[in-house]
Amino acid sequence: QIMLEELLIHKPDDPIQYMINHLEQHNDDAPRICVLGPPASGKTTVAMWLCKRLDAIRISQETLLFKETLKLAEEAKAHKESKQKIPNALWANLIQERLSNVDCIKQGWILEGFPENQEQAWMLQSAGIIPRHVVVLYASDTVLIERNSGKRLDPLTEEVYHTTFDWPSDVEIQQRLVKPELSEQEMSKKLLEYHRTFPAVFQIYQKVLRSINADQPSVDVLSQVLTYVRTRHRSAAPFTPRILFCGPPGSGKSLQAALIAQKYDVVNICCGQLLKEAVAGKTKVGELVKPYIDNGYPVPDPLCVKILAERLSALDCLTHGWVLHGFPRDIEQGEELQKSQIAPNR
């Protein structure tokens, strides 16, 4: 179902290859999250915390270049050492190479700081790397510049601390913290670049994107992020409702089914009514059902299921969907319904 939804939403040029890639690579329950935002907005803290909570793999510039044994990492390092900008295509290929590893496929991934611009986002999409949730942290430039001046990095764990807001209690950690090599001038330049390039990225991911204010206590930020990444998006793919109402006599099944049918233009199916219609129509199955109804005996399950299956496979039910009530009334009837491939989705 998820593969069909992705196919209908993204409309790839080669649908067969897209489906093969999906089946080979995607664990549909694993997290696929991008954490974006300007410098000093707290991307690293959020990404690392999410990894611990969701048991996912964190992918960042540092992990790609210095912690992984990727074929393309040496080429990217050479660009960095000669103080040249690493090309978008090289970043996209590095990310694709890393995400194709079995740990990312099974556990899911959290991309920290990627994509940085529209071109990177397009390249990731064309490679089939489509996040399910995009978290964008934001704060005013003055707050971010002040944060950057107090930012300290633990080179051992890569965790980020702050001299004012989040100073570690462990003396050993305090002693090994280092100040990032980003002056106020460089920080301002990076913020300008971010404001210039990010609106295009926002447009690409707007349907799966949530902006979260980073200028609040970190506990609140993390709580809002976790709540968001645990939500499931409503699909834009076509959906045919197949609704089953259960409940004791007098609980309002018939009324609710009628209201649902009217509101959503689905077919209202009452099992008892169907049996009466079959008898009145003098069909072959109706002839078999008639003695039971005339004598007040329950109609055997196989006969009920046969009539139901026939009605639910009619064109109006297949096109508009259906809402069923009055069946099944017990476990045996439920099992008979499952055997006949009548599967409600709500």
Side-chain angles (χ1 to χ4, degrees), residues 95-215:
I95 292 166
Q96 188 179 2
E97 188 185 342
R98 179 65 186 91
L99 296 188
S100 64
N101 289 359
V102 70
D103 57 347
C104 289
I105 294 166
K106 294 293 178 194
Q107 292 171 246
W109 44 263
I110 292 164
L111 265 181
E112 179 200 317
F114 287 110
E116 295 178 306
N117 52 50
Q118 188 182 52
E119 192 185 2
Q120 278 185 15
W122 281 340
M123 285 176 171
L124 292 179
Q125 279 196 330
S126 65
I129 298 163
I130 297 158
R132 195 176 283 126
H133 298 90
V134 176
V135 173
V136 178
L137 304 171
Y138 70 90
S140 68
D141 287 2
T142 48
V143 167
L144 295 170
I145 289 167
E146 191 280 324
R147 268 194 184 187
N148 183 62
S149 64
K151 188 176 169 181
R152 298 293 182 270
L153 183 69
D154 184 342
L156 199 65
T157 63
E158 287 186 43
E159 293 204 32
V160 177
Y161 296 92
H162 194 277
T163 51
T164 310
F165 312 117
D166 185 22
W167 193 243
S169 53
D170 191 323
V171 179
E172 195 180 325
I173 295 173
Q174 289 176 16
Q175 288 170 347
R176 66 172 185 248
L177 293 181
V178 293
K179 188 174 181 178
E181 297 169 8
L182 195 64
S183 67
E184 194 171 312
Q185 195 177 358
E186 288 172 318
M187 178 68 178
S188 301
K189 195 177 170 185
K190 278 184 171 281
L191 284 170
L192 273 173
E193 190 182 349
Y194 175 83
H195 293 313
R196 182 173 55 80
T197 58
F198 191 71
V201 178
F202 193 100
Q203 285 297 316
I204 291 171
Y205 293 124
Q206 58 182 325
K207 289 184 179 173
V208 293
L209 182 146
R210 173 71 58 85
S211 295
I212 291 171
N213 182 8
D215 187 17

Side-chain angles (χ1 to χ4, degrees), residues 2 12-13 18 44 48 87 108 117 209 220 244 276 288 293 313:
I2 289 168
D13 294 332
Y18 185 90
T44 303
M48 291 182 91
N117 52 50
L209 182 146
D220 295 340
L244 176 64
K276 287 174 189 171
L288 295 172
I293 289 181
S313 59

Side-chain angles (χ1 to χ4, degrees), residues 315-330:
L315 187 62
D316 59 345
C317 287
L318 292 174
T319 308
H320 298 286
W322 45 263
V323 53
L324 169 65
H325 52 106
F327 194 92
R329 293 175 185 273
D330 53 43

